[in-house]
Amino acid sequence: MNRALRKRLRILLERAKVPRRLVRGILHLTGQYRRGLRNAHDIQLRKIDLALERLPAAFHGYQILVMSDLHIDSELRLVPRIKEIVASTRADACFLLGDYRYRLSGPDDLLLKRISEIIKEVDTTDGIYAVRGNHDSKDIMLKLGQLG
């Protein structure tokens, strides 16, 4: 199967309308629902030190805060924990790596409100940068850019 066909098939499967009750039922039966909730609530800050031989001296000690796959508009109550971690973390730059949205579409208000709450806690000298994930529209990215 060629690359373009695999990509189309993946997008089709992501957008397939499978009844949520059916999916939840299967996850409950297999024990994966509770495991997934445990994993989602286990938000952690991991510090990773990288030693790169050719890194310019200006970047020695440079700290980057990376957040990815927040799916922040889900029914889970994750924002207080994320804010707590972010508020206690000092970084030179922050990178938001997409998948801000839980579903592929829907209203933007809740997502933007929650992301805004988190961004207010970020303390960086060189700014916050965001990229789009497969759950995120161009519109969301434009609105995120307006948050600052």
Side-chain angles (χ1 to χ4, degrees):
M1 188 180 320
N2 71 31
R3 188 176 181 182
L5 184 57
R6 279 196 312 264
K7 183 177 179 180
R8 280 184 163 169
L9 183 59
R10 188 182 69 225
I11 291 170
L12 177 66
L13 290 173
E14 284 179 355
R15 294 184 177 171
K17 300 291 184 198
V18 179
R20 286 176 47 187
R21 285 185 176 161
L22 175 64
V23 172
R24 267 197 183 173
I26 291 169
L27 291 174
H28 277 288
L29 285 172
T30 60
Q32 296 303 306
Y33 188 80
R34 185 170 287 158
R35 180 180 180 189
L37 285 178
R38 247 190 345 265
N39 289 343
H41 285 99
D42 187 25
I43 301 168
Q44 298 177 13
L45 175 67
R46 292 192 180 140
K47 185 173 181 178
I48 300 170
D49 292 317
L50 297 175
L52 304 173
E53 288 181 26
R54 296 183 179 172
L55 186 69
F59 288 104
H60 289 190
Y62 198 84
Q63 293 189 23
I64 301 172
L65 174 64
V66 177
M67 292 184 270
S68 71
D69 298 279
L70 294 174
H71 299 284
I72 206 72
D73 61 340
S74 73
E75 61 272 358
L76 301 175
R77 304 291 183 244
L78 305 176
V79 174
R81 177 69 179 134
I82 295 170
K83 284 173 55 177
E84 176 186 325
I85 290 171
V86 168
S88 68
T89 304
R90 172 71 187 91
D92 294 296
C94 176
F95 291 91
L96 303 173
L97 301 183
D99 283 355
Y100 313 104
R101 181 180 292 291
Y102 179 66
R103 293 190 176 76
L104 292 174
S105 62
D108 300 337
D109 299 345
L110 181 60
L111 179 144
L112 293 169
K113 177 183 176 287
R114 290 179 176 176
I115 288 287
S116 178
E117 289 178 36
I118 292 168
I119 287 174
K120 287 177 186 171
E121 299 296 329
V122 174
D123 179 20
T124 69
T125 53
D126 296 335
I128 301 170
Y129 304 89
V131 296
R132 192 172 135 192
N134 65 314
H135 284 231
D136 308 315
S137 67
K138 290 179 185 175
D139 290 341
I140 279 294
M141 297 310 293
L142 292 171
K143 292 174 183 177
L144 283 177
Q146 293 170 354
L147 293 178

